[in-house]
Amino acid sequence: MAKEKSARQEKLFYERKNGYEIIDEKEKKAMEAYCRDYMRFLNGARTEREAVRDGIALAEKKGFKPYTAGMALKAGDKVYYSNRGKSLLLAVIGKQSLAEGATIAAAHVDSPRLDLKQVPVYEDNEICYFKTHYYGGIKKYQWLTIPLELHGVIVLKNGEKVEVCIGRDKSDPIFQISDLLPHLGREQMKKNANDFIKAEDMDLMVGTVPDKEDVKERVKLAVLDMLNQKYGIIEEDFLSAELCAVPANEVREVGFDRSLIAGYGHDDRVCAYAELAAILETEKPEKTAVCILADKEEIGSEGVSGMKSQAFERFMGDLCDGQNVKLAHCFANSFCVSADVTAAFDPIYADSYEKRNASFVNYGMGICKFTGHGGKYDSNDASAEVVSKLRTIFAANDVVWQLAELGKVDQGGGGTVAMYMAERDIDTIDAGVPVLSMHSPYETVAKFDCYMTFKGIKAVYADNK
Ligand code: MN
Ligand code: MN
């Protein structure tokens, strides 16, 4: 009988271990405490604006001050910059000059959702609906018959901003998209998942009671009347509104052992929170630590609040100006972890993964040398030197990590902000939490991987090489 494993194999083979075989009781306690805080954050921040709002509140408690151009800063100073309330940049000034580069972690706080159209309200057969336009990559059928909340802002003609959040409070109503009963679903069930529900049919039911006035569209009138009384808005105000429907589920522990967390928007608030928690614990780092919570990643990092925006140059350029450093020199010496989620191996759908290179739940932070699709198109593809740097940092700080490739070659693919950081001449690598059911209304992550991602980013901020 051949041995299970020889000493030479033990020495030569690359082997990963389940995280629970590695960590001790003390660390498990720290993991649980960290995850409790993360769950609270995720439950409350359902849009990029809310994540920025809550991120600022947490940062201010830790002594971060709003950054203003030309502000005098010294090592250890903590500042933040809110880009239009939709993305957030935080920095802790390092002991070294910015000419030596900054240590950057970049995550995003937007998640797939259903945006309201600009003319959303209509009535059909005495039911009032809001029309939606999906945002990001979703499987449309997953959004039928689930409870949905409405979040966002309405900016009135006079510039006044009305904040909307309906459904988060237990006493609030929720909203819903209907589906056909199985009894009548014979034709529908023959369709493929993509055509199962048309995007134009993903309309939210928002009211059914007709107004007392004897006119056409009485239900729509009654709904608009209610909105007018509550928010002071008229139908035209939807034109300058940014409202979205997001899942109304609670963030919950999953399984008898409570080892997993289900919630809406782990992608990518799980990495955003890890960065945030890490920079909030960073005191007087060697190099300036920078935390990015970006918007618009799910639709290609476009727009003023996306990672392609020059807002990042402006913030970093200002910091560099304060030290008489050229921004380009700072970038060339900087190091960035593009902290975004990756696909955890799912045994139920094993065929879509390549097991030797996949990431697994409970195996730690997932490092992706490349993302993209096909022949590595649209990928950052970090150099071996950059991967090695991260390996070294993680080894020195007991960070449990694993390799993570997003599915089989030619199976599909995905992107992150990594390539937009690399375009700036910044050494960048993707690393983050493996997720099950990614982009669904109720995604799942392992507590262990959340905690290790926090530990990993903290170690990167503390690195002095
Ligand atoms: Mn993501
Ligand atoms: Mn995504």
Side-chain angles (χ1 to χ4, degrees):
M1 263 289 271
K3 268 190 286 186
E4 193 68 35
K5 195 177 280 168
S6 76
R8 283 170 59 235
Q9 284 174 319
E10 200 84 59
K11 179 184 168 210
L12 295 173
F13 285 14
Y14 168 55
E15 201 199 4
R16 317 178 207 198
K17 272 203 180 116
N18 186 302
Y20 284 92
E21 288 173 34
I22 300 169
I23 58 165
D24 57 18
E25 284 308 315
K26 195 177 149 222
E27 198 146 41
K28 262 187 225 167
K29 272 210 183 102
M31 172 186 88
E32 292 292 347
Y34 171 81
C35 287
R36 265 196 301 279
D37 291 342
Y38 167 56
M39 289 171 72
R40 197 176 311 127
F41 174 81
L42 187 67
N43 226 5
R46 305 227 159 198
T47 63
E48 68 282 353
R49 287 180 193 266
E50 292 171 357
V52 168
R53 174 199 68 196
D54 295 354
I56 290 173
L58 290 171
E60 284 187 338
K61 262 190 221 157
K62 290 279 185 173
F64 281 74
K65 301 266 186 301
Y67 178 76
T68 49
M71 197 173 178
L73 293 168
K74 56 180 191 312
D77 281 353
K78 301 167 175 186
V79 289
Y80 71 83
Y81 173 69
S82 160
N83 178 7
R84 298 160 170 92
K86 297 185 61 139
S87 72
L88 182 63
L89 301 165
L90 304 104
V92 181
I93 307 302
K95 291 183 233 166
Q96 295 178 12
S97 155
L98 276 162
E100 307 298 321
T103 318
I104 304 163
H108 65 93
V109 285
D110 61 317
S111 299
R113 61 183 190 233
L114 304 177
D115 285 341
L116 289 203
K117 291 201 184 202
Q118 298 326 117
V119 183
V121 199
Y122 76 94
E123 175 180 336
D124 192 351
N125 281 280
E126 294 175 300
I127 299 178
C128 187
Y129 293 95
F130 281 176
K131 289 200 69 64
T132 69
H133 190 143
Y134 68 92
Y135 171 99
I138 61 164
K139 286 175 158 180
K140 295 193 281 289
Y141 67 83
Q142 292 180 332
W143 295 71
L144 307 181
T145 69
I146 63 166
L148 296 164
E149 301 171 1
L150 263 189
H151 290 234
V153 295
I154 304 164
V155 184
L156 307 179
K157 222 194 275 179
N158 65 8
E160 190 194 326
K161 193 183 286 182
V162 181
E163 308 251 357
V164 175
C165 177
I166 311 168
R168 197 78 298 260
D169 193 286
K170 285 280 183 296
S171 64
D172 284 347
I174 51 97
F175 304 92
Q176 208 182 26
I177 301 170
S178 63
D179 193 4
L180 191 59
L181 60 167
H183 316 64
L184 301 179
R186 200 175 288 170
E187 288 305 314
Q188 183 195 38
M189 297 298 275
K190 287 181 196 159
K191 291 181 184 165
N192 68 40
N194 215 17
D195 303 328
F196 196 85
I197 170 93
K198 289 195 189 83
E200 288 293 355
D201 290 339
M202 299 191 60
D203 300 341
L204 299 176
M205 289 186 286
V206 299
T208 61
V209 180
D211 192 89
K212 291 212 163 54
E213 200 180 346
D214 187 20
V215 285
K216 282 183 188 162
E217 301 189 290
R218 289 194 301 161
V219 180
K220 174 176 165 176
L221 178 60
V223 165
L224 283 173
D225 190 56
M226 268 189 267
L227 290 173
N228 184 258
Q229 283 179 36
K230 180 157 185 191
Y231 298 108
I233 62 163
I234 56 173
E235 189 178 11
E236 192 184 323
D237 292 322
F238 281 104
L239 297 177
S240 51
E242 207 167 31
L243 295 167
C244 62
V246 297
N249 47 43
E250 293 302 299
V251 179
R252 299 287 294 268
E253 293 171 310
V254 179
F256 292 114
D257 56 15
R258 299 169 181 263
S259 58
L260 306 173
I261 304 169
Y264 162 65
H266 284 308
D267 178 7
D268 184 32
R269 294 177 199 130
V270 69
C271 296
Y273 185 77
E275 281 182 14
L276 195 58
I279 202 160
L280 298 191
E281 288 186 10
T282 299
E283 304 283 345
K284 273 205 184 173
E286 281 296 321
K287 290 189 177 175
T288 296
V290 177
C291 169
I292 304 173
L293 308 190
D295 182 27
K296 299 275 190 276
E297 191 279 339
E298 295 295 356
I299 57 167
S301 298
E302 312 287 351
V304 275
S305 49
M307 209 56 245
K308 287 183 189 169
S309 161
Q310 291 284 317
F312 182 60
E313 272 72 9
R314 192 153 68 83
F315 178 68
M316 291 301 294
D318 269 6
L319 294 184
C320 284
D321 287 350
Q323 299 185 7
N324 283 318
V325 170
K326 277 197 176 129
L327 177 64
H329 293 171
C330 169
F331 277 176
N333 290 322
S334 291
F335 178 72
C336 175
V337 175
S338 161
D340 205 343
V341 297
T342 184
F345 178 82
D346 187 338
I348 305 286
Y349 302 99
D351 274 359
S352 297
Y353 299 83
E354 192 271 281
K355 220 176 156 182
R356 288 184 186 85
N357 286 280
S359 63
F360 297 82
V361 292
N362 289 334
Y363 277 68
M365 189 178 190
I367 295 185
C368 303
K369 185 177 181 296
F370 52 87
T371 56
H373 56 96
K376 299 196 181 179
Y377 293 102
D378 296 328
S379 154
N380 162 54
D381 202 9
S383 68
E385 288 85 345
V386 169
V387 183
S388 165
K389 180 180 164 112
L390 208 52
R391 273 178 75 187
T392 310
I393 295 173
F394 287 177
N397 293 280
D398 298 321
V399 177
V400 181
W401 65 277
Q402 57 182 325
L403 191 91
E405 188 181 49
L406 192 84
K408 272 183 180 167
V409 183
D410 284 344
Q411 189 77 25
T416 64
V417 301
M419 54 179 178
Y420 311 115
M421 301 308 289
E423 267 175 22
R424 296 176 157 110
D425 195 21
I426 300 171
D427 271 328
T428 302
I429 181 160
D430 277 299
V433 177
V435 177
L436 291 166
S437 312
M438 196 196 291
H439 280 207
S440 77
Y442 215 23
E443 303 174 309
T444 308
V445 293
K447 285 180 180 173
F448 180 82
D449 305 330
C450 297
Y451 177 64
M452 280 302 156
T453 298
F454 157 68
K455 244 184 108 170
I457 293 170
K458 205 173 141 187
V460 169
Y461 281 147
D463 183 54
N464 56 11
K465 280 178 210 77

